Amino acid sequence: ADPSKRAPLMDWLERFAASPLAERIRSADDARKEVPFRIRLEKGALMVGVIDVIWSEGERIFIRDYKIGSIENAPQELYRHQLLFYALAARKHFGGSPLDLALVSLKETREIPVERNSLSWEALEKDIAAAAHQGAAGPFDPSLERCPLCPWKGECLLGRR
């Protein structure tokens, strides 16, 4: 890895480590980092993932997902759906506990709340099952129209055009 790229990242991590959010996470008795999970959806699909950090305060469960890039340039809907997937896993594990979801920009040392809005848990599970099916079945034909939203555009020959 290029050492010149490590310095900014180290700066972001040091600033985050000194932030009130990092202190809040450190002070939580039950904070867990890199928490793997498996959930079986109603239609039978087994979904797996890893939550960056999860903890509770009273009855409320907090889920945070760390991002190293600028959040404004990120595929917002992708990140929102990722956190909603984590929320569904937490809901299946913790039952009806209230959930607090947010992205954490390490670069900007800030939280960006993610709301579930009025989407029911059943509708969310149905959407996740449909996305999982499409992800497994394809098709995956290249499409320039999707390039601006794609998180892998820098790695893809089509996206670099």
Side-chain angles (χ1 to χ4, degrees), residues 3-4 17 29-30 32 36 49 52 57-58 60 81 83 88-89 107 111 130 138 151 156 158 160:
S4 68
D29 292 335
D30 61 349
R32 295 184 52 215
D52 286 348
E57 292 176 9
R60 186 170 295 275
H81 284 103
L83 268 171
L88 181 64
K107 180 178 183 178
E111 288 181 277
C156 171
L158 184 66
R160 285 192 240 163

Side-chain angles (χ1 to χ4, degrees), residues 55-132:
W55 76 95
S56 65
E57 292 176 9
E59 295 295 314
R60 186 170 295 275
I61 306 296
F62 293 80
I63 298 174
R64 297 297 183 263
D65 191 56
Y66 299 123
K67 301 298 178 195
I68 60 171
S70 174
I71 298 296
E72 276 66 36
N73 297 330
Q76 293 293 326
E77 277 306 295
L78 176 68
Y79 288 164
R80 180 176 178 276
H81 284 103
Q82 180 184 8
L83 268 171
L84 291 176
F85 173 50
Y86 296 167
L88 181 64
R91 169 100 173 155
K92 287 182 171 284
H93 182 76
F94 295 106
S97 297
L99 299 173
D100 187 295
L101 310 171
L103 299 169
V104 176
S105 169
L106 296 174
K107 180 178 183 178
E108 300 158 355
T109 315
R110 69 182 180 105
E111 288 181 277
I112 298 90
V114 171
E115 300 297 329
R116 185 170 58 92
N117 299 333
S118 61
L119 192 64
S120 73
W121 291 110
E122 294 77 21
L124 177 60
E125 186 165 346
K126 184 178 175 184
D127 287 353
I128 290 171

